[in-house]
Amino acid sequence: MISFIARRIVIAIPTIVLVSIFVFALQKMLPGDPILVLAGEERDPIVIEALREKYRLNDPLPVQYFAWAWQALHGNLGISLRTNAPVLDLILEKLPVTLQLAAMAMSFALLIGIPAGVMAAVKKGTAWDYLATGLALWGLSIPNFFLGIMLIFLVSVQLNWLPASGYVSLGESVSQNLRTMIMPAFVLGNALAASMMRHTRSAMLGVLKQDYVRTARAKGLLEPRVILKHALRNALVPVVTVGTLLFGELLAGAVLTEQIFTIPGFGKLIVDAVFNRDYAVVQGVVLCTALGYIALNLLADVLYVVLNPRLRAR
Amino acid sequence: MSIALESAAQQEAAVPRSRFWGKLLRNRSAAIGLTLVGLFLLLAIVGPSLVPWDPIATSWTTVRKPPSAAHWFGTDELGRDVLARVLSGARASLTAGVISVSIAVAIGGPLGVAAGYFGGWTDTIISRCTEALLACPFLILAIALGSVLGASLTNAMIAIGIAAAPIFIRLTRGQTLSVKTEDFVEGARAIGLPHRWIIARYIIPNIFAPILVQATLIVAQAIIAEASLSFLGLGQQPPAPSWGAMLSTGKNFVQQGQWWMSVFPGVAIFFTVLGFNLLGDGLRDALDPRES
């Protein structure tokens, strides 16, 4: 088991190196010379030259890359041009907000997606199956920003149940925080719930045909016990793996959800950075999401083996 | 004799094709999907000329008016007809969806075939780069690329196309790997056909179906991605209409109860995306040889 994890980590290293090269290249592809911005209006050639030396822009690209990667490894992702704060600090400040949103969205997705998937598989071909499958298709086709706007209209404007915006942090007030986060979390979790439902349904359909399910029924176990204990436990193996991978998608979905509900998270950070041409922040956010995604991939692989006794023995 | 053989081969090829269309049209989701996609395509082509309003002409006398007999979908914050803008927006959305996926297939297809067919170092390099690109969520990558390229509809299409390319690299690579081991490819190699010929004649026709299915499903994603980028201001630039940008302005007025500016473009995105999703699912079933 440990050797398996170690091997997976070793395989992930070249991917991480390549991701960092892409992110570095992204910075180099940018239009405009950042030094001209820093040099001020006079554009004194001596100042420009000094700045080029200072930021190592006269070095060959590979040297520049290694210098940048070395700094990044030490947690120095540069300084935000807009706020003058270290990029890492900004990311660490915003990340918990998005993680809370993503975790809540994930809970919604699990609570809706898995029971719906089980029901659709058990009652395959009935109205329940069509209802669940239809809802899943709806969930996959509705863009979360549109769903968000519609919910704001219905729940906040018409019914006046929940606030449309005005994020309150968990530290200030837990109940206020939940009131502002529940709608965005539902919006973000909606597509994921649809995905989870589809995966649970197809995994359950596969498992229900297995011999051990027939055996469980043959020995007279009650149907709920057969479904929940014998079938679902096995069907959940691929669902857990997919769920782990989809958690990364939530980070991307959060960009728009946070924009609509004006939640000061990771997604809003990247959008604001794009518009302020604050490229160090864009770069930092892309690098961090990619690293998080790679970590999730690793976790998904490990979980797959942990949950699958047949693979564990090897 | 060779002509007789060829016509026999054509007849053989013709049977599965007609069976494919039959299966596709009998498949309920595919039929609904095809209808929706066709309908929006038609609306995008002829729609704007059916409406007496100019999608970008502003009018200060009809600012933010609810739907009425004159303006079926109401008017927006500059007095422009929402229906005319939704119809013109269909052009932007469908073009963006189809072109960005074409870019993704044009980049991803050849790289994936090369990786799968040649193996070795070619495969290692291409696969590692693909993994690295896939390590970044699609939309974040598109936003980052969009910010580098600059905000415009063309650049949004390029950004989405590049961001989606790894999906097609991985798919074509896998498909090529499985077709490569088939006897007819081995045979073609044994009689010394050049690689170019084998790829064009034996590999591509056999991996075409799954790529078409995936492309259809990714068009749905690409339309959402284009709307997302336009929503964020990185796509279609004002005053040209796009569904994403319309939702972005509509959002500001929904809090005052003015729903029509966001509902209509949103519903348009929903049905277009639904159409491509249904069509993709249906194509998958119709092209799957295991399904009878």
Side-chain angles (χ1 to χ4, degrees), chain B residues 120-181:
Chain B
W121 276 106
T122 323
D123 183 25
T124 311
I125 293 169
I126 295 174
S127 296
R128 286 280 167 275
C129 288
T130 311
E131 272 165 41
L133 280 172
L134 282 170
C136 205
F138 176 59
L139 189 62
I140 303 249
L141 194 58
I143 290 175
L145 287 170
S147 78
V148 169
L149 295 169
S152 79
L153 186 63
T154 317
N155 287 342
M157 290 192 263
I158 297 172
I160 296 167
I162 296 174
I167 303 170
F168 290 98
I169 300 181
R170 198 173 48 175
L171 179 72
T172 34
R173 176 182 174 272
Q175 294 292 327
T176 307
L177 276 178
S178 70
V179 172
K180 203 175 91 174
T181 56

Side-chain angles (χ1 to χ4, degrees), chain A residues 189-313:
Chain A
N190 180 59
L192 192 65
S195 237
M196 289 300 238
M197 180 268 155
R198 284 187 154 196
H199 285 290
T200 310
R201 180 177 180 274
S202 71
M204 276 299 277
L205 284 177
V207 166
L208 286 173
K209 283 186 205 141
Q210 297 290 321
D211 288 342
Y212 53 79
V213 171
R214 192 170 0 127
T215 310
R217 281 188 180 137
K219 71 181 181 184
L221 289 184
L222 291 174
E223 194 61 17
R225 195 176 161 83
V226 174
I227 302 286
L228 295 179
K229 191 143 194 301
H230 293 253
L232 183 61
R233 272 180 74 163
N234 288 294
L236 278 184
V237 174
V239 175
V240 168
T241 326
V242 170
T244 317
L245 293 175
L246 289 177
F247 196 78
E249 298 291 321
L250 285 181
L251 290 178
V255 172
L256 289 151
T257 314
E258 287 176 3
Q259 197 68 18
I260 288 166
F261 293 96
T262 45
I263 297 167
F266 203 60
K268 207 158 176 334
L269 182 68
I270 186 173
V271 173
D272 292 345
V274 163
F275 281 100
N276 295 331
R277 307 207 154 261
D278 202 343
Y279 292 116
V281 177
V282 177
Q283 205 179 21
V285 171
V286 173
L287 188 65
C288 287
T289 356
L291 290 180
Y293 217 55
I294 292 171
L296 283 173
N297 262 297
L298 206 67
L299 184 67
D301 278 2
V302 171
L303 277 177
Y304 192 69
V305 174
V306 170
L307 293 174
N308 209 332
R310 275 170 299 188
L311 292 175
R312 214 184 311 158

